Structure formats: C-alpha cells, structure tokens
Amino acid sequence: MRFVDEFRDPELAEVLGRQITSLCEPGRHYKIMEVCGGHTHTIYRYGVQDHLPENIELVHGPGCPVCVIPMGRVDDGIAIAERDGVILTCFGDMMRVPGGRGSFLEANARGADIRMVYSPLDALRIARDNPDREVVFYAIGFETTAPSTALTILRAAKEGIENFSVFCSHVTIIPAIKAILDSPDLRLDAFIGPGHVSTVIGCRPYEWIPRDFGMPLVCAGFEPLDLLQSVYMIMKQFSEGRAEVENQYSRVVAYDGNPVALRVLADVFALRPFFEWRGLGSIAHSALQLSPRYAQYDAELRYELPGVRVADPKACQCGEVLKGVLKPWECKVFGTACTPETPIGTCMVSSEGACAAYYNYGQYAKQRLNLEVLR
Amino acid sequence: MSEPEVGATCSAEDGCITCGDVAVVLTVTSVADADAVCTDEQGRQETVATELVGDVRPGDRLLVHAGVAIERLTAVPTGG
C-alpha cells in the first residue's frame, strides 16, 4: 500500500533493532511505557517487541479510552437509554463494556435503543432526523476525539437543535501520566508519547516530564517502524545523557499542536475537579465536562442519573494492567474467565486494550518464536 | 456518493477505529461550506467536517478522526 509499506519494512526493522541493541548499556534494564492504546495494538500486531533486545521492556499504559471508563458511568448511560423516547449513541467498542447492570448490548436486548455511530456528527444527524426523540451522544476519548464532540455541540447550537445532548466522559492524557509517575509500584525510564493526541495538544505539554523526572519522551506514529525509531531516539538520548521531548511523528504532529482545535476545546469544555478512572482511581482535573455556556447540551444536567460508584469485579486486575504493573497474561482471569467474547474487565473489550491486543495477537507471536527456535 | 452509513466503519466485533485513537489520511475531492467530501487510497468516500483546519481545497490531504479533520498534512502521509 502506498506510503504505508515503507513503515512496515522487515529489513529496516532488523537494522533499527541492531542499532537499538548497540545503544544499550550492558547490565541495564530499560522500561519504556507507550501511553497510547493504538501503540499497544501495533506492538502486539506486528511483534515489535521481537525486534528489541531482552533488556528493553515495553510497558503498556492507560491510553485506551474505553478501558478507563468506570462501571458506574456505564450504568449512567444505561439509565439514560432506558428513558422513554431516548436514543443513546456511542462508538462501537463502548457497546460491550461491562457495567454493574451489564453492557449497552445487553440493555438493547432488554428494549433500549442504543446505536453505534462513527462520529458524533452522525449522532447529531440522528437527532435532526428524529425531532420527536431525545438523542444523547455518549462521548469518550482523549484529546484526539474531544474536538469532534466540541465541534458537534457548536453545530447543534448553530442549528438550534434542542433534542440533542452529550454525556461527556472525555479524559485528558497529561494528568494520567502524572498519576502513573506518582504511583509507587512502577519504575519507568522513558515514554513513547501518543501520536494523535499530540496532533491536537502538541508536544509542549510533555516538557515537564524530562524537566522534573529526567525521562525522555518521544511522540510516535503508529506503524511498526515508527515505534522502533522512537525507541531508537529514546536510547540515543540515554547514550548521550539527554532527556528531552522529541517528535518522531513530525509528518503529522506540529510541536504546538492544532491551535484552532485547542481554542474550540477551551470554549466548549471545562475541566472537572475530579474524575474516576478505572484502575487509577480519582484523578484531579483529568476529564472534561461541558462549560456553563453549553449547559443545555449536558446530559448530566438534563437527566437524573444514578451517579453511583460501582466497584470493579474482584477477579479483574485491569487497574494493574492499565498502570503497567502487570502484563495482561499475569492477570488471574486472562484468557479463561475473561476473553474478548465475554470480557470481565475493560482491557479485554477494545482491540486497543492491552489484554485484547495480547489475546488476539500474542499467541501468534509465541508460535512464531517457537518456529524460529526450531529452525 | 454521500456520507458513509452510520456505524459503517465502527464495529463492536472488529474493534472501533475511533476508540482506538486511529486517524486516517484522506484527500479532499470537493468542498461545500464547512464540509469536504474526501477519498482514501482505495477510493472510499467520506464527508468530513473541516472547521478545525481552516479553508481546504480539492487535493489537500487531511488527517481525519471521527468524521472531523484534526490536521492538514504537508509532508508524506500515512495511516495510523
């Protein structure tokens, strides 16, 4: 495929792998966290770890927007959908996320009208086409997705569409990284920064990481060679005694991000004082709510909601997986009670969740490794 | 061709590209107000909101996420 094959060339991957190995300090172990779920998916799908020496460990972070939604907010969505005349809309992966009262798919089986959409603008179109119904968009995602929700609210306001509102669970990446760095049970050496989030926020918001923690961060693209080159750039920083923010994904990411998108986000949203993340607990200023100017589109103000905090299932260790403390296969229920078909934890739902990515691609990598051993 | 069918590129079975923070590179083929009809490498079409990237013209390449262009590309494009 044009423009993509270059970023998947196995020979170049071998060369990069050797260069990375040559930069390793003997006897040192390196832990590098990729924050973004898209990166986790690429790492497992293409076996990126296979090209790295054993002393470089890739640790998977909390950057899957579905995986961090707490069960109580799933129940809030179901409570909205069960109201007469409501159409709830959401992205595809959200349909299977288990809450305290089951998933959206199960709510549909009980008679609710919950529809998958590709864009919040599709939800607005459903509202336009169904003036006698209330249409609610269940908004999730990091700064990559929040601008599309903001733009949809601006269009709803401009068109005077009143039967549309948003249940907002948008989260922001920087406070999550701070929470991970404050976590006492995880020691990291560097970060691979999220590519598409950085398209919006730019690279500047990460500068405190090298400054205050002495760790390199490299914003990376989503092809296997993007990730290998990012690891190479991190190792180069270590070998030269530097700790900086660098931008590997410069073909897409501007260092200052997208200023128009940032202005729209600041207009439509306000920071929540606190927000509960599954596995990470309550994190200050880590999520968005609608600003008072757009309160009429806020589903949390429009509807009475349970708003109850629901504890995660005891057997589920998503919290440890999201913080990178546990590998997916180290969870007690991984691949047995918890599978993509019947997920107990959120990390097994989205294909970007660390558990689902490993479940889908991990066995393949293991078999390939066995074949290489046999040769 | 009009906009893709609602939910056509978002599946509960195969994984949701929006949840996965995936953005795709599309090329503008025509413009109407704040929307642009764009095509991908395989010729599939999609209507994209362009308010966040300013005025666009046919031939411009856009990085698109959830039906909204979040960046305009000037260098070598790729998916991801």
Side-chain angles (χ1 to χ4, degrees):
Chain A
M1 193 188 298
R2 229 176 119 210
F3 302 128
V4 171
D5 290 344
E6 298 92 317
F7 293 93
R8 297 178 185 172
D9 184 335
E11 286 177 18
L12 274 177
E14 288 293 331
V15 172
L16 264 174
R18 282 198 296 274
Q19 287 175 342
I20 290 167
T21 304
S22 72
L23 291 173
C24 286
E25 199 178 303
R28 183 171 171 187
H29 188 83
Y30 302 88
K31 263 191 174 179
I32 302 173
M33 174 175 275
E34 88 277 359
V35 178
C36 176
H39 286 153
T40 304
H41 186 248
T42 299
I43 287 165
Y44 283 131
R45 181 174 181 187
Y46 294 100
V48 170
Q49 182 81 57
D50 297 352
H51 291 282
L52 297 176
E54 278 185 3
N55 56 336
I56 296 181
E57 182 185 352
L58 297 179
V59 183
H60 318 303
C64 164
V66 174
C67 302
V68 299
I69 297 294
M71 294 177 82
R73 296 204 51 96
V74 178
D75 292 351
D76 287 345
I78 291 174
I80 292 173
E82 285 175 339
R83 297 177 70 95
D84 282 344
V86 166
I87 301 171
L88 184 71
T89 57
C90 67
F91 295 135
D93 279 347
M94 202 56 230
M95 295 295 284
R96 293 187 300 129
V97 174
R101 297 181 51 223
S103 67
F104 288 178
L105 277 178
E106 288 163 323
N108 264 355
R110 293 195 297 267
D113 187 352
I114 307 179
R115 305 182 189 179
M116 279 189 291
V117 290
Y118 161 65
S119 163
L121 291 164
D122 294 332
L124 187 63
R125 190 177 63 192
I126 293 172
R128 207 181 286 125
D129 294 346
N130 294 273
D132 55 334
R133 304 279 299 271
E134 291 274 318
V135 177
V136 182
F137 177 61
Y138 192 96
I140 62 160
F142 285 88
E143 288 95 332
T144 318
T145 315
S148 62
T149 304
L151 194 60
T152 303
I153 290 169
L154 291 178
R155 284 194 176 188
K158 192 176 172 187
E159 293 179 40
I161 297 177
E162 293 180 352
N163 64 325
F164 176 76
S165 61
V166 170
F167 182 83
C168 183
S169 295
H170 282 302
V171 286
T172 55
I173 198 71
I174 297 292
I177 295 176
K178 277 194 175 126
I180 283 167
L181 285 171
D182 290 339
S183 173
D185 46 2
L186 184 65
R187 187 193 65 80
L188 293 171
D189 295 285
F191 285 97
I192 295 173
H196 292 142
V197 164
S198 306
T199 304
V200 175
I201 69 171
C203 300
R204 226 171 273 286
Y206 307 111
E207 286 178 346
W208 59 277
I209 296 173
R211 188 185 63 228
D212 298 346
F213 288 84
M215 293 182 190
L217 180 145
V218 175
C219 291
F222 291 83
E223 295 297 333
L225 287 187
D226 286 325
L227 285 164
L228 284 172
Q229 191 186 9
S230 301
V231 173
Y232 172 78
M233 289 167 75
I234 287 169
M235 296 306 294
K236 189 89 175 148
Q237 288 197 36
F238 283 133
S239 72
E240 295 172 358
R242 292 183 290 122
E244 297 168 7
V245 173
E246 289 184 309
N247 184 11
Q248 184 274 338
Y249 203 25
S250 58
R251 65 184 185 276
V252 171
V253 172
Y255 200 84
D256 285 317
N258 180 336
V260 179
L262 290 171
R263 274 201 301 277
V264 168
L265 288 180
D267 175 35
V268 173
F269 295 117
L271 280 177
R272 289 177 189 269
F274 288 95
F275 190 77
E276 188 200 344
W277 292 55
R278 182 179 279 233
L280 298 178
S282 186
I283 304 177
H285 303 124
S286 65
L288 305 176
Q289 61 188 11
L290 269 62
S291 68
R293 197 177 300 127
Y294 299 97
Q296 73 177 100
Y297 298 101
D298 191 341
E300 285 180 79
L301 299 177
R302 191 176 289 205
Y303 304 105
E304 199 171 312
L305 298 171
V308 175
R309 189 185 180 281
V310 179
D312 291 338
K314 277 186 183 163
C316 172
Q317 294 180 289
C318 276
E320 284 78 8
V321 172
L322 283 168
K323 282 190 290 187
V325 176
L326 278 188
K327 297 287 186 191
W329 59 91
E330 291 170 338
C331 172
K332 290 191 289 281
V333 291
F334 174 84
T336 53
C338 185
T339 66
E341 287 74 35
T342 54
I344 292 176
T346 44
C347 299
M348 193 56 100
V349 175
S350 163
S351 60
E352 272 62 36
C355 294
Y358 184 81
Y359 187 92
N360 289 329
Y361 299 112
Q363 290 305 314
Y364 168 70
K366 267 188 183 171
Q367 285 165 8
R368 190 174 47 183
L369 201 65
N370 288 341
L371 279 177
E372 283 174 8
V373 170
L374 289 172
R375 270 181 204 150
Chain B
M1 200 172 111
S2 63
E3 297 172 59
E5 193 182 326
V6 171
T9 49
C10 204
S11 156
E13 298 305 319
D14 300 329
C16 167
I17 64 164
T18 321
C19 299
D21 211 28
V22 176
V24 291
V25 175
L26 303 177
T27 303
V28 176
T29 52
S30 64
V31 182
D33 298 326
D35 288 332
V37 174
C38 301
T39 54
D40 69 4
E41 282 281 307
Q42 282 78 43
R44 292 174 296 205
Q45 287 191 316
E46 180 178 336
T47 300
V48 172
T50 61
E51 287 99 319
L52 302 183
V53 294
D55 292 338
V56 298
R57 288 185 298 185
D60 286 351
R61 293 194 309 272
L62 306 175
L63 187 72
V64 176
H65 176 84
V68 173
I70 56 172
E71 192 54 279
R72 181 198 303 266
L73 300 191
T74 50
V76 180
T78 182

